[in-house]
Structure formats: C-alpha cells, structure tokens
Amino acid sequence: MKEQRKIVLGGETVSYTLERKAVKNINLRLRPDTGLSVSAPKYVALSQVERVLMQHQQKILETLRQYQTAAAERRQQYPRSFSTGETVLYLGKYCTLEVLRGSRECVQVQGDKLLLLVKHPEDAQCRERVFNSWWETSCEKAVRNLCRAVYPVFEAKGVAFPEIRFRRMVAQWGNCRPTRGVLTFNLRLLAAPVRFIEYVVIHEFTHFLHPDHSPAFYAEIAAELPDWKQLQETLQHMVETRI
C-alpha cells in the first residue's frame, strides 16, 4: 500500500511516497521523475520512518535541489511529438530532429541532425513508428556489436555466448540471468556514449562469473575498464540516486 506524505526537513516541506512492503529495513530512494520514495516494513512506526528521513535530510535536500536544477537545464532527450526542432540525445550527443518527406521511410544521421524521412510528415503516428523502429534497431545493433567485441574475454573463462534481449527499462541499464544464459539491455542505451554502453555490456557479462556485486566482481571489471567507477557513477545518476 502506498500513501503520499509530507515532512519538514531543514525548514523545507518535502513530499514523499511511503510504501509498506515485505522488507527488513527502511529504504530511501530518490529519482528525478518520482522524487523521494520510502519503503518500510509493515510493523515499523511512522515516527521511526521519519527519524530515518531526518537522519538523511541533508543528502535528501541536496539531491532534490540537484534534480530541480537539472530539470531546469536539461534538454529534451527523446522526441515527444516527433516533430522538427525537437532534441534527441543520441550516443552522448544532442541532435536536432528534422522531419522530411521521403519515399523511403527511415532516419538518417547527418552531423548533429537526425533526418526523419516519412511518406506522410503530417501523420504523427507514422513519424513515431518510423523513429522508434530506427532507434530500437540501432540500439540493438550497437549493443550486439559490443557484446561480440567483448565476448572473447569471457569465452576464455568458460562463459557461453548468451541470448541477448532488449526492452525499455525504468531503473536499469541491463540485467543478467546467469542460470538462464540471458542478458537483457535497456533500449535507452543508445542515448549514452559508446564507452558507457561498453561498460554496461562488460558489467552484465561479468555477472556470469560473479552473480553478485562483490569485490571480486568489480576487480574483474577493473581488469578491462580501469575507469569503471566513473562510468558507473555517471550512469547511476542518469537513472536514479539511491541513499
């Protein structure tokens, strides 16, 4: 059960979502889109929940201010109406979308422009369909190529080449199911620079060797990507902030 509540932290009124769940601890989560969320065991009193919030008030307020600043400055990262002039974050670079009439429906990358060619430019559903199809195909191609590129490292350690899947995710760039031999990647990855996509691919492949996030897991990643921590922190900030 979820409920919306408010608390005064550092003289500021902060809204948060409280959810009672079958968890052992009180967990706080901050995300740019939904703000502050709290999950707590059913038996924990509200006063105890609020004490935890008070203990973390400085971090909560700092992060919320960062989100507010970023929201004011953030450029659009994916088309909303698939119209000329919208911005798209593509492989780490902001591009401008330009809709043109064309006999062959496709998207062409020309410098900092993405040309969306459609037979009926006035048809919003057509524009959306063509763009989404191109985006998903391009993302899958980029990730699959990187999977093949890094695989020899893991093949030498006895890892069989996995089944590669894709879907839209809210709070993950990818996940691994070691027992099933499946890697799933977020279709949003095409917005990230290639180096960041490479990190996600190596991160998920490494779970076939270490299913947890132990020191051994990160040591394995560091052998291939010495700057893994910086890459990880940047990606985590793009998705969500955990306390």
Side-chain angles (χ1 to χ4, degrees), residues 55-86:
Q55 290 170 2
H56 294 283
Q57 62 179 327
Q58 183 176 354
K59 174 65 174 179
I60 291 170
L61 292 173
E62 287 178 357
T63 304
L64 289 176
R65 291 188 190 109
Q66 290 173 3
Y67 287 163
Q68 291 170 354
T69 300
E73 298 176 350
R74 187 184 300 121
R75 298 173 68 182
Q76 182 179 316
Q77 296 185 1
Y78 199 82
R80 295 189 179 92
S81 61
F82 303 88
S83 302
T84 293
E86 290 189 290

Side-chain angles (χ1 to χ4, degrees), residues 14 21-22 25 32 38 60 72 80 84 88-89 98 138 160 165 167 189 202 208 214 217 222 230 234 238 240 242:
V14 175
K21 300 175 65 176
N25 303 306
V38 182
I60 291 170
R80 295 189 179 92
T84 293
V88 182
L89 184 58
E98 184 174 343
S138 299
R165 299 177 182 175
R167 64 184 175 87
L189 269 175
I202 290 176
F208 286 119
S214 63
F217 170 83
Q230 179 182 353
T234 302
M238 291 175 67
E240 65 180 354
R242 296 176 185 267

Side-chain angles (χ1 to χ4, degrees), residues 3-201:
E3 59 176 316
Q4 298 298 316
R5 302 197 62 85
K6 294 183 179 180
I7 186 173
V8 177
L9 301 176
E12 297 184 30
T13 301
V14 175
S15 299
Y16 68 96
T17 302
L18 175 60
E19 183 176 9
R20 299 291 185 171
K21 300 175 65 176
V23 293
K24 294 182 179 180
N25 303 306
I26 297 173
N27 301 307
L28 312 184
R29 178 175 294 177
L30 279 161
R31 291 176 50 181
D33 52 347
T34 58
L36 175 61
S37 299
V38 182
S39 58
K42 296 178 181 179
Y43 58 83
V44 169
L46 178 61
S47 59
Q48 187 174 345
V49 172
E50 294 190 339
R51 276 199 299 273
V52 172
L53 291 173
M54 294 294 292
Q55 290 170 2
H56 294 283
Q57 62 179 327
Q58 183 176 354
K59 174 65 174 179
I60 291 170
L61 292 173
E62 287 178 357
T63 304
L64 289 176
R65 291 188 190 109
Q66 290 173 3
Y67 287 163
Q68 291 170 354
T69 300
E73 298 176 350
R74 187 184 300 121
R75 298 173 68 182
Q76 182 179 316
Q77 296 185 1
Y78 199 82
R80 295 189 179 92
S81 61
F82 303 88
S83 302
T84 293
E86 290 189 290
T87 55
V88 182
L89 184 58
Y90 169 69
L91 293 177
K93 180 177 68 175
Y94 281 100
C95 298
T96 302
L97 187 65
E98 184 174 343
V99 180
L100 300 172
R101 187 180 301 276
S103 58
R104 185 171 69 91
E105 296 187 326
C106 61
V107 175
Q108 297 178 357
V109 181
Q110 291 191 0
D112 61 355
K113 287 188 176 181
L114 296 179
L115 306 183
L116 174 55
L117 305 178
V118 289
K119 296 178 181 178
H120 306 287
E122 69 285 353
D123 187 336
Q125 290 184 342
C126 176
R127 299 195 304 268
E128 180 176 1
R129 173 181 55 78
V130 173
F131 187 89
N132 285 342
S133 176
W134 167 79
W135 181 276
E136 292 176 8
T137 299
S138 299
C139 183
E140 291 186 14
K141 180 179 179 180
V143 173
R144 288 185 188 279
N145 285 343
L146 283 168
C147 286
R148 286 190 288 269
V150 307
Y151 177 61
V153 173
F154 297 92
E155 183 180 25
K157 298 177 182 180
V159 176
F161 194 83
E163 178 184 351
I164 308 297
R165 299 177 182 175
F166 297 86
R167 64 184 175 87
R168 295 186 181 275
M169 303 180 188
V170 175
Q172 288 181 303
W173 286 112
N175 64 50
C176 173
R177 296 184 176 229
T179 58
R180 297 186 182 182
V182 176
L183 294 181
T184 303
F185 293 98
N186 192 336
L187 285 166
R188 291 174 57 200
L189 269 175
L190 195 63
V194 172
R195 180 72 169 171
F196 290 78
I197 303 175
E198 181 185 17
Y199 163 72
V200 174
V201 168

